[in-house]
Amino acid sequence: VLGPEPDWHVLGPVAGLAEDGVGDALRGGVREGLLVREAGELRWPHALTRDAVLTALLPPERARLA
């Protein structure tokens, strides 16, 4: 789910969020600069950003999102 291009199609079921919750979370990520929109897709602005987000997750969270 949190690969080079976050897979928003499966994020809701994996994270236990409804579609509105996924949309709100992704918009928040874009607003805060954690994600960027490019050519209609979402991606991390830099691999270090993705690494920082992954580091902030607890091991069970990281395993669930893997």
Side-chain angles (χ1 to χ4, degrees):
V1 173
L2 297 178
E5 294 178 359
D7 190 347
W8 58 271
H9 294 99
V10 297
L11 189 57
V14 169
L17 295 172
E19 188 175 328
D20 289 343
V22 171
D24 290 344
L26 293 174
R27 275 189 290 283
V30 170
R31 185 176 48 252
E32 296 299 322
L34 296 173
L35 297 167
V36 293
R37 289 179 57 190
E38 190 173 277
E41 297 292 328
L42 289 174
R43 66 173 186 79
W44 301 102
H46 195 282
L48 291 175
T49 306
R50 177 182 173 266
D51 291 347
V53 170
L54 288 173
T55 299
L57 296 173
L58 296 172
E61 294 170 317
R62 196 169 37 250
R64 188 177 71 230
L65 295 172

